[in-house]
């Protein structure tokens, strides 16, 4: 037999096999599974997540039914050949329709001077619903990726909607959220879910959470927590390609540049394989661990806390000094000076704070009454001045340290100013 004929025959068999494979994938319900809003399987753990559920600070992904399409790439562009008939025949009988946005109290970055938007008004688009809250470090770290997707795919039919579902009372304030949106440079629409109406409609219990919704309103992808950004982007590409095919396009091209790279010395960097100290809440209604001080929590009382120089500091336990009022979700300084002390394991540490005043931070320079007077602060956080000081300018997250490595560290905060409110420590 002619060798050239054999080569042509082999290539023909390969092409037919690939086409048959995609046809089976797109039309086989056992491979193209349905998504469930109420899914609670916590065995699929892959990175960092924040949840109101006590003691659950991990990452969970539920990826079902997202169609993956083969790509032909050169150095900068990926091009997908589209098949309208194939896209029309995708079996969606096991998918569910995404719930409408519910009980929204405000709109930011929406058309017509922040006018209301609904999910139904976005029918025909691919919609990424991103549930977040502005003080949550797990919600902050994915923002560079989300901004990148918005820039790369908004002109191909992707609409990102940030659903801001607050954890703290002050996060319900429209001005606070708008200031945060501006500070983070968010350009996509943000809707305020202050009463958790949309949170509950989706059966959600985590920050952050991603739902990818196709042009017909079906939820095709669900991801909880940080990480897996390449998979999320591939699914976005798949769904906007499906949209283009349904509109009659023959092919679609994507920028094939690598995913967003986060520098190790930035607030957004985290190694999800590290077992960092879990978030520490300071409020008698929100706490998950005791104070290190023997006085403990005293609901609604002002307590004079002391830290003897002989104290044996335990890791992941907060110690405070000064007169502090015990509030449901924070401690509030009642005199002009106070102190907060913590030993933890992480690369970076943040504090959620508000009220008045500020403080001076000492990183790895001693604890308790023997805190060093030096202000060298080699691990200055993004919110610290050169001398290790910071000022409260709003109710938000303040980054106080970024170290070179994951290790056991300690932090001493000399608080200055009556009315300083301290809510949580978070880590990266």
């Amino acid at each position: 037999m002619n060798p050239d004929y054999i080569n042509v025959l082999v290539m023909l068999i390969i092409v037919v096999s690939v086409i048959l494979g995609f046809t089976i994938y797109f039309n086989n319900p056992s491979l193209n599974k349905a998504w469930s809003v109420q899914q609670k399987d916590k065995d699929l753990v892959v990175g960092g997540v924040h949840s109101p559920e006590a003691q659950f600070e991990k990452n969970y992904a539920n990826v079902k039914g997202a169609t993956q399409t083969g790509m032909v790439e050169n150095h900068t562009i990926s091009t997908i050949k589209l098949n309208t008939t194939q896209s029309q025949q995708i079996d969606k009988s096991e998918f569910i329709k995404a719930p409408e946005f519910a009980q929204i109290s405000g709109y930011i970055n929406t058309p017509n001077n922040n006018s209301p938007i609904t999910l139904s008004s976005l029918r025909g688009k691919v919609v990424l619903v991103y549930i977040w809250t502005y003080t949550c470090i797990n919600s902050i770290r994915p923002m560079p990726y989300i901004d990148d997707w918005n820039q790369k795919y908004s002109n191909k039919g992707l609409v990102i909607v940030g659903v801001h579902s607050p954890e703290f009372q002050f996060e319900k304030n429209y001005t606070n959220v708008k200031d945060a949106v501006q500070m983070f440079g968010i350009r996509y629409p943000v809707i305020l879910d202050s009463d958790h109406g949309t949170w509950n409609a989706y059966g959600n219990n985590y920050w952050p959470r991603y739902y990818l919704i196709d042009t017909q309103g079906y939820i095709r992808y669900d991801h909880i927590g940080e990480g897996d950004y390449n998979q999320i982007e591939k699914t976005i590409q798949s769904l906007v390609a499906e949209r283009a095919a349904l509109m009659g396009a023959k092919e679609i091209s994507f920028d094939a540049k690598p995913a967003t790279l986060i520098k190790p010395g930035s607030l957004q960097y985290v190694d999800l394989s590290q077992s960092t100290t879990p978030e520490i809440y300071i409020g008698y209604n929100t706490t998950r661990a005791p104070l290190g001080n023997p006085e403990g929590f005293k609901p609604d009382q002002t307590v004079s806390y002391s830290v003897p120089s002989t104290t044996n500091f335990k890791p992941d336990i907060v110690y405070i000094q000064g007169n502090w009022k015990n509030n449901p979700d924070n401690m509030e300084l009642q005199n002009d000076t106070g102190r907060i002390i913590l030993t933890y394991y992480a690369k970076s540490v943040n504090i959620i704070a508000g009220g008045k005043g500020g403080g001076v931070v000492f990183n790895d320079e001693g604890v308790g009454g023997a805190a060093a007077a030096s202000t060298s602060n080699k691990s200055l956080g993004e919110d610290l001045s050169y001398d290790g000081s910071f000022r409260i300018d709003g109710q938000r997250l303040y980054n106080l340290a970024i170290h070179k490595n994951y290790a056991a560290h300690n932090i001493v905060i000399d608080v200055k100013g009556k009315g300083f409110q301290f809510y949580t420590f978070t880590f990266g």
Side-chain angles (χ1 to χ4, degrees):
M1 185 178 292
N2 190 315
D4 292 336
Y5 177 80
I6 293 175
N7 290 336
V8 171
L9 182 61
V10 170
M11 288 300 297
L12 181 61
I13 292 172
I14 292 173
V15 170
V16 171
S17 299
V18 170
I19 294 174
L20 180 60
F22 279 123
T23 302
I24 292 173
Y25 177 86
F26 284 124
N27 293 281
N28 188 337
S30 68
L31 298 177
N32 204 1
K33 297 286 187 182
W35 173 91
S36 170
V37 177
Q38 301 300 332
Q39 169 68 292
K40 295 295 183 181
D41 182 1
K42 294 178 184 175
D43 293 329
L44 300 172
V45 174
V46 296
V49 69
H50 177 53
S51 170
E53 291 185 357
Q55 308 302 325
F56 186 60
E57 299 291 335
K58 295 185 178 179
N59 190 64
Y60 154 66
N62 175 25
V63 184
K64 297 186 177 181
T67 57
Q68 298 302 304
T69 308
M71 293 185 183
V72 178
E73 297 187 3
N74 60 25
H75 293 296
T76 59
I77 300 296
S78 297
T79 299
I80 300 176
K81 302 297 181 181
L82 304 175
N83 186 314
T84 299
T85 301
Q86 185 182 83
S87 295
Q88 290 172 336
Q89 293 176 348
I90 295 175
D91 182 4
K92 298 183 181 181
S93 62
E94 295 184 18
F95 292 107
I96 71 166
K97 289 291 185 75
E100 183 56 85
F101 303 140
Q103 297 177 258
I104 300 305
S105 60
Y107 301 84
I108 302 170
N109 290 345
T110 55
N112 302 319
N113 196 27
N114 295 330
S115 296
I117 60 169
T118 62
L119 186 60
S120 59
S121 70
L122 300 176
R123 188 65 55 85
K125 301 285 189 177
V126 174
V127 182
L128 171 58
V129 173
Y130 179 63
I131 297 180
W132 68 296
T133 189
Y134 81 82
T135 64
C136 173
I137 188 62
N138 306 99
S139 296
I140 294 171
R141 286 193 289 246
M143 287 181 179
Y145 299 94
I146 298 171
D147 182 62
D148 184 52
W149 300 333
N150 188 51
Q151 293 184 48
K152 289 163 68 174
Y153 304 109
S154 60
N155 65 345
K156 299 182 185 298
L158 175 69
V159 175
I160 299 173
V161 179
V163 177
H164 186 269
S165 300
E167 179 174 15
F168 299 104
Q169 278 294 122
F170 64 79
E171 291 179 299
K172 297 182 179 182
N173 182 283
Y174 182 88
T175 301
N176 285 350
V177 180
K178 187 174 182 180
D179 288 347
V181 167
Q182 292 175 345
M183 181 179 68
F184 293 130
I186 295 172
R187 298 178 178 86
Y188 48 83
V190 173
I191 60 179
L192 274 65
D193 183 31
S194 296
D195 295 320
H196 282 203
T198 300
W199 171 286
N200 292 329
Y202 280 75
N204 182 46
N205 205 34
Y206 308 93
W207 295 281
R209 190 158 189 169
Y210 310 78
Y211 300 94
L212 269 168
I213 301 165
D214 70 15
T215 57
Q216 296 175 315
Y218 290 96
I219 296 177
R220 300 283 293 278
Y221 183 96
D222 167 21
H223 182 83
I224 294 172
E226 301 177 72
D228 217 12
Y229 301 115
N230 288 336
Q231 178 61 45
I232 296 172
E233 183 166 8
K234 288 177 182 178
T235 309
I236 291 172
Q237 291 176 342
S238 177
L239 292 180
V240 298
E242 182 180 301
R243 175 181 181 268
L246 292 172
M247 295 174 67
K250 300 301 181 184
E251 65 180 31
I252 188 171
S253 297
F254 300 119
D255 186 344
K257 70 178 183 180
T260 302
L261 297 177
I262 305 299
K263 296 181 179 179
S266 72
L267 174 64
Q268 285 79 17
Y269 179 83
V270 66
D271 180 350
L272 296 176
S273 68
Q274 293 283 339
S275 296
T276 61
T277 295
E279 184 166 3
I280 300 173
Y281 288 82
I282 300 297
Y284 66 80
N285 269 351
T286 57
T287 184
R288 300 175 183 178
L291 285 174
N293 306 77
E295 296 87 353
F297 291 101
K298 303 290 185 184
D300 303 317
Q301 296 182 32
T302 296
V303 179
S304 179
Y305 292 97
S306 62
V307 182
S309 59
T310 57
T311 299
N312 180 23
F313 293 96
K314 298 178 181 178
D316 304 342
I317 297 294
V318 173
Y319 297 77
I320 57 178
Q321 183 172 296
N323 296 329
W324 294 84
K325 182 183 177 184
N326 285 239
N327 292 325
D329 61 359
N330 70 82
M331 285 284 192
E332 183 175 354
L333 186 63
Q334 297 300 295
N335 51 344
D336 292 332
T337 61
R339 177 167 282 181
I340 303 169
I341 304 166
L342 175 69
T343 299
Y344 62 94
Y345 182 91
K347 188 176 186 293
S348 64
V349 60
N350 317 291
I351 189 174
I352 297 176
K356 303 175 183 179
V360 177
V361 174
F362 302 92
N363 287 308
D364 293 340
E365 294 189 17
V367 297
S374 169
T375 55
S376 61
N377 278 298
K378 297 178 181 178
S379 301
L380 285 173
E382 293 185 1
D383 287 294
L384 298 186
S385 299
Y386 71 95
D387 61 355
S389 66
F390 69 100
R391 297 292 300 175
I392 296 296
D393 58 16
Q395 294 167 306
R396 65 177 181 90
L397 179 144
Y398 295 82
N399 176 237
L400 302 186
I402 299 178
H403 301 284
K404 291 184 178 180
N405 300 302
Y406 282 89
H409 299 282
N410 64 67
I411 184 170
V412 177
I413 308 170
D414 279 344
V415 181
K416 302 180 185 300
K418 181 178 180 180
F420 182 97
Q421 295 173 326
F422 163 40
Y423 292 82
T424 72
F425 273 115
T426 63
F427 306 91

